[in-house]
Amino acid sequence: MAANTYTGTWTLESSENFDEFMKAIGVSDEMRKIGNAAKPTFEVLQDNDTFTWTTVTELGKHINTFTIDKEVEETVMDGTTKLTTYKWNGPKLEAVYDYQGQPVLISREIQADVMTAVLTVGDVICTRTYKRQN
């Protein structure tokens, strides 16, 4: 388990190449417009290797619960379900899944009160930065 705790409320501070990432995984034009306009907040509760990850956007609230090294079925904001496995890679929390035929890796790391998420599909890389609010 990583030394840094993810528990807290995190708000999006910056996003780089998110539209290209969504396009690469096959998100529709309409959902990409919504995704680009959204300013998500994550409410995270970490209990050792079990997480409750609540995403709050202008469209509502979405909750996923997962445990490290156990595959879990999740529903994403557009209603699509996917099988995801979360694991520790050193201090990074990584999520690996297949989204509409595309293998995706999301790697998150905390430094002080900043969480950086690097989303990768193929050769497309998106970086999103979140600031801890509490």
Side-chain angles (χ1 to χ4, degrees):
M1 180 173 78
N4 294 320
T5 181
Y6 282 75
T7 295
T9 300
W10 302 86
T11 56
L12 181 67
E13 292 285 310
S14 67
S15 184
E16 189 177 306
N17 216 27
F18 189 52
D19 190 60
E20 290 303 314
F21 172 80
M22 289 189 292
K23 195 181 299 182
I25 63 172
V27 175
S28 70
D29 289 346
E30 181 180 339
M31 288 305 295
R32 285 196 346 257
K33 286 179 188 173
I34 292 168
N36 282 318
K39 302 296 180 207
T41 297
F42 295 137
E43 298 169 355
V44 181
L45 179 60
Q46 177 186 356
D47 182 11
N48 295 313
D49 280 350
T50 300
F51 291 76
T52 300
W53 201 286
T54 303
T55 304
V56 180
T57 68
E58 298 82 355
L59 299 175
K61 185 184 279 194
H62 189 79
I63 301 170
N64 282 318
T65 300
F66 59 89
T67 301
I68 298 298
D69 293 327
K70 292 185 181 177
E71 188 174 65
V72 62
E73 183 176 271
E74 297 180 316
T75 303
V76 295
M77 295 300 283
D78 70 1
T80 304
T81 59
K82 61 184 177 64
L83 294 175
T84 304
T85 302
Y86 291 85
K87 61 182 181 173
W88 292 118
N89 182 0
K92 297 177 183 178
L93 174 62
E94 295 187 339
V96 179
Y97 62 91
D98 182 87
Y99 187 84
Q100 298 182 9
Q102 298 288 325
V104 176
L105 170 67
I106 300 176
S107 181
R108 297 178 176 98
E109 185 171 16
I110 294 174
Q111 293 181 335
D113 286 332
V114 175
M115 177 172 51
T116 302
V118 178
L119 296 72
T120 306
V121 59
D123 61 356
V124 176
I125 298 172
C126 165
T127 303
R128 295 174 63 111
T129 304
Y130 300 84
K131 176 102 170 132
R132 189 190 309 259
Q133 299 305 305
N134 59 353

